[in-house]
Structures are given as C-alpha cells and as structure tokens.
C-alpha cells in the first residue's frame, strides 16, 4: 500500500512539474491561438504580430510577478496536502500573508520550491514509469498465448514494449521473456528511484514550504517561554500543596508541643508532647521527601553520573522490562542530557500506560538519537496531546520526532536532537 501511495505522489509530482513549466506560456500561447484562429498570422505577420508580442511580453512578466507568491502558496498547500495524505509526512504551514505586497517571503520560497519541483520530478517520474511499465512488461508472457494464438504460418506484426532503454519488440513467444526480464529489472530499480526522489522532495518541502527559520525560532522561543512559565506554575503549586503545607503543620505541631512541655518546671502532659514531637518529626521527613521529588523533577541527581546511568536507573522503575543501550562517543551538554532523560521518561510512561507491551528497547546513539520501541498493540497517534507536546518541546532545541505505530504494532519513536 505504501508503494502505491509513493507511486501516486510521484505521478502527482510529474503533473505539477508539467503545469509549472506550461504556466508561463499560457498568455503568449493564448495570443498565438487567437491570432492563428483569426488568420492574422497568415495575412499580416509583420505589422500586427510584432506589436502584439511587444505588449504581451511585459504583460506576461507583470502577471507572473504579481501572481507569483499567491500561486506559490497555493501549490505549496497542495504539495503539503499530498505529502501528508500519501506519505504521512506532516509539515507546518507558513504564517498567513499579512498584506498584498510583493515582499512575501514564504510565498517566494514556495515559488522556489515550484521551480525546484521540475528537476525533482525527473527521478520521481522515472521511478513511477519503471514501476507501472515494469508490471506491464512482466505480464507479456502471461497474455501472449491468449491473444497470439493464430494458425501456423500466419505472419504477425511485432509487439512493442516500452522500457527506459527505448522501445523493444518481439514476434515470438520466446521474445516475451526478454521483455519480462526488462520489466523485472525495472521493478527492482523503481523503488530506489522513487525513494530517492521522494526523499529529496520532502527535504526541499521542509526547507521551502515550512514556516521558515525565523518563524521557527520565534515559535520555539515562545514555546520555551511557555514551558518555563508552566514549570514555574507547577513548582509553585507543588510547593504550596505539598512541602508548604507539611512545613506549616510541622511548625504548628512544634508550637503545640512547646505548650505541652511548659515554660519551666515539669511538663504537665509529657505523653501528648512526645506524640506531637513524633508527628513533627514525621512531617519533617515527608517535607524533605517532597522537596527531593521536586528537585528530581527539575534535574535528576543521577544525571550527574552520565546519561547511561540515568537511563538505566529510569528503566529499573518501569512497569515493563526495558533493554537499554547507550553508545555516545561524546557526552552531551547537561541541558541536552536533561531533555533526553525526560523524553525517555515520558515515552516509557506512555508505553506502560497505553501499549500493552511485554518488552521495550531504549537506545541512544549516533550524533544524538533516542529510540524507544515496544512490542505492543500499536496505534499511537503522533497528533495526540502527549506525543505532539513532546514534539513541540524538543523543537526548542531543533529536535525532530518520527513515530511509526501501525495497528497491531510495534511502536517505534525516534527523537533526533
């Protein structure tokens, strides 16, 4: 199914390239057609045709300049839709056009993608051609006996087949196997051509059809500010609801114990004083535990020993057995280690909550790629609140997340930072 979707995307890319190439010739072509239909080209070629084209050329250039950015945005929207629908690649749209001025950066970038689409359509078109006609050529030995069953001695015309090397023909059944061999070779080459063309196309789309670097930085900065504000509110709430209440109870119990002990002389109620001191002692330990949890939520102390030890400790607390592999030639910065640690913690929590898995593999390697894969039921939604929020947070450090979770599993999440 994915191969057919890739073929459809490649065919749509070829159609788009043809439209883009043909668009600048619409106005001159229409003018030529009108002049030809009225007979002007045959009757008065010199005095009429030349002035007409002197007017049409600057008119065409002006129309192309005025309509360039709206056309670029429209085609960009169409190509993002195709990538999302056929390939599952989601891309953020650029900010809306704020004015009708020509200085529309996202529109001009989208137009640049349209121009780049023409050479990009070559490997895509070649791959789709090899895929479709490879299947056709491979079928020649199957249908030949059904349609070429004439009596012996009948002179038949050649049967032609289309290949990347040109047209080949055969008059015999044995020759169909040569065509079938060419079809098999085309089918073997087609996936590589389409995959290469689609990969280049998606890279160009992410570069030219997205919100742009400035908009991405603005959004990531806003997201970082929002995350910091949310963390401060969470810390304030946790301190108010946890440690602050326990410390207030501790102070109250110590005050009551002081009253029970009395100012001087023998204590009037020693048993109650001891009970209040014991309550205060237990409250002090609980307040310390709350504060440790808060500190661990900001920066786990185990990260001081490195990301490998931290993830190993995190895996031991998982409800599902976790196999951890960490291979980093250079230790990342503390901020990056903290981000990777909390990403792993959230992904393990999600797997334990939703996946119904029996085992999880957690791998950190490469330049810095975190991979969490489970053998659960699959069906994870990348646009759900958990994973989409995680994607927004790692975007602050130029992170990128890909989720592969077909129904029935397995689920694999890759985070590249």
């Amino acid at each position: 199914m994915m191969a057919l979707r890739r073929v459809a995307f490649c065919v749509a890319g070829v159609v788009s390239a043809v439209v883009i190439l043909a668009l600048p010739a619409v106005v001159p072509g229409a003018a030529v057609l009108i002049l030809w239909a009225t007979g002007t080209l045959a009757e008065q070629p010199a005095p009429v045709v030349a002035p007409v084209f002197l007017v049409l050329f600057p008119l065409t250039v002006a129309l192309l300049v005025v309509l360039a950015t709206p056309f670029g945005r429209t085609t960009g929207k169409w190509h993002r839709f195709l990538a999302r629908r056929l390939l599952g690649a989601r891309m953020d749209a650029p900010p809306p056009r704020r004015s009708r001025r020509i200085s529309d950066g996202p529109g001009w970038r989208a137009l640049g993608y349209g121009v780049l689409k023409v050479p990009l359509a070559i490997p895509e078109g070649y791959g789709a051609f090899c895929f479709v006609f490879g299947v056709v050529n491979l079928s020649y030995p199957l249908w030949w006996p059904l349609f070429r069953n004439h009596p012996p001695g009948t002179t038949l015309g050649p049967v032609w087949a289309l290949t990347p090397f040109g047209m080949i023909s055969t008059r015999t059944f044995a020759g169909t196997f040569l065509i079938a061999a060419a079809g098999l070779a085309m089918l073997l080459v087609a996936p590589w051509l389409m995959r290469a063309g689609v990969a280049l196309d998606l890279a160009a789309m992410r570069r030219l059809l997205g919100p742009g670097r400035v908009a991405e930085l603005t959004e990531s900065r806003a997201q970082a500010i929002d995350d910091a504000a949310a963390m401060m509110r969470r810390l304030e709430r946790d301190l108010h609801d946890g440690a602050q209440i326990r410390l207030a109870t501790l102070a109250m119990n110590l005050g009551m114990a002081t009253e029970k002990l009395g100012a001087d002389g023998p204590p009037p109620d020693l048993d109650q004083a001891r009970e209040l001191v014991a309550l205060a002692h237990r409250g002090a330990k609980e307040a310390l535990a709350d504060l440790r949890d808060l500190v661990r939520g900001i920066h786990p102390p185990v990260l001081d020993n490195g990301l490998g030890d931290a993830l190993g400790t995190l895996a031991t607390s998982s409800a599902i057995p976790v196999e951890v592999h960490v291979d980093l030639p250079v230790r990342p910065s503390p901020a990056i280690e903290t981000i990777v640690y909390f990403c792993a913690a959230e992904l393990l929590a999600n797997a334990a909550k939703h996946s119904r898995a029996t085992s999880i593999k957690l791998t950190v390697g490469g330049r810095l790629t975190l991979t969490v894969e489970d053998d659960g039921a699959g069906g994870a939604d990348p646009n759900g609140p958990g994973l989409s929020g995680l994607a927004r947070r790692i975007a602050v450090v130029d992170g990128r997340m890909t989720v592969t979770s077909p129904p029935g599993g397995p689920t694999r999440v890759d985070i590249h930072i």
Side-chain angles (χ1 to χ4, degrees):
M1 182 62 71
M2 187 61 191
L4 293 178
R5 290 184 177 182
R6 192 177 288 119
V7 170
F9 181 83
C10 291
V11 172
V14 173
V15 173
S16 299
V18 171
V19 171
I20 291 168
L21 281 175
L23 191 64
V26 169
V27 175
V32 170
L33 185 62
I34 293 172
L35 292 174
W36 174 81
T38 58
T40 307
L41 284 174
E43 296 174 1
Q44 297 177 334
V48 176
V49 176
V52 168
F53 277 94
L54 286 176
V55 174
L56 282 180
F57 180 74
L59 178 62
T60 302
V61 173
L63 283 175
L64 290 176
V65 171
V66 172
L67 299 178
T69 55
F71 175 77
R73 281 181 173 269
T74 302
T75 56
K77 182 178 180 180
W78 167 247
H79 286 111
R80 284 194 302 272
F81 169 77
L82 288 176
R84 181 177 68 252
R85 191 65 181 268
L86 298 177
L87 304 177
R90 299 187 62 87
M91 299 177 195
D92 295 331
R97 191 176 182 183
R98 298 180 180 179
S99 66
R100 297 185 176 275
R101 295 180 300 176
I102 296 178
S103 56
D104 179 15
W108 286 108
R109 287 203 312 274
L111 184 66
Y113 169 78
V115 175
L116 191 60
K117 184 71 175 179
V118 176
L120 289 175
I122 295 175
E124 293 178 346
Y126 231 90
F129 167 81
C130 289
F131 185 87
V132 173
F133 284 92
V135 174
V136 173
N137 294 344
L138 197 60
S139 68
Y140 270 57
L142 300 178
W143 60 259
W144 180 277
L146 300 177
F147 297 97
R148 308 291 284 191
N149 52 2
H150 298 78
T154 303
T155 302
L156 300 176
V159 174
W160 295 90
L162 190 60
T163 71
F165 318 105
M167 299 287 290
I168 59 176
S169 64
T170 181
R171 295 175 183 268
T172 63
F173 178 65
T176 60
F177 288 96
L178 176 62
I179 298 176
L184 180 61
M186 292 165 67
L187 283 178
L188 292 176
V189 172
W192 295 94
L193 287 173
M194 289 192 296
R195 195 174 291 117
V198 168
L200 292 173
D201 203 337
L202 290 179
M205 290 176 70
R206 290 191 178 95
R207 185 73 176 175
L208 298 174
L209 297 185
R213 187 62 181 164
V214 174
E216 288 179 355
L217 291 175
T218 303
E219 184 179 354
S220 63
R221 182 181 64 180
Q223 182 65 41
I225 294 173
D226 291 342
D227 287 346
M231 179 177 287
M232 293 300 294
R233 289 193 297 269
R234 179 177 61 81
L235 289 175
E236 181 183 5
R237 183 178 63 251
D238 292 344
L239 286 171
H240 180 272
D241 297 340
Q244 182 175 338
I245 292 177
R246 296 188 189 280
L247 290 174
T249 304
L250 170 63
M252 183 177 65
N253 288 334
L254 288 176
M256 293 172 62
T258 302
E259 293 179 359
K260 296 296 182 181
L261 290 173
D264 52 7
D269 196 344
L270 185 59
D271 291 337
Q272 286 193 4
R274 287 173 177 168
E275 183 179 353
L276 290 170
V277 170
L279 288 173
H281 182 239
R282 186 165 65 248
K285 291 194 293 184
E286 291 174 350
L288 283 173
D290 287 345
L291 290 174
R292 286 196 196 98
D293 290 339
L294 286 174
V295 171
R296 195 176 295 114
I298 299 172
H299 179 77
V302 70
L303 275 175
D304 295 337
N305 299 328
L307 193 57
D309 290 346
L311 293 178
T313 303
L314 181 65
T316 58
S317 63
S318 174
I320 301 174
V322 181
E323 182 180 347
V324 180
H325 296 282
V326 178
D327 183 15
L328 293 174
V330 180
R331 183 174 179 178
S333 65
I336 297 298
E337 284 187 336
T338 303
I339 291 173
V340 174
Y341 176 87
F342 284 115
C343 287
E346 184 163 348
L347 291 174
L348 291 180
N350 287 343
K353 187 176 181 182
H354 303 292
S355 70
R356 303 196 298 274
T358 59
S359 64
I360 300 175
K361 291 183 180 180
L362 191 154
T363 306
V364 179
R367 298 176 66 180
L368 211 163
T369 300
L370 167 67
T371 300
V372 177
E373 184 175 7
D374 64 61
D375 60 352
D381 184 9
N383 302 316
L387 291 176
S388 62
L390 190 61
R392 287 194 300 270
R393 285 196 293 275
I394 63 173
V396 175
V397 290
D398 287 342
R400 181 168 52 87
M401 182 176 72
T402 56
V403 180
T404 305
S405 183
T411 296
R412 178 186 173 109
V413 180
D414 295 291
I415 294 179
H416 308 275
I417 298 180

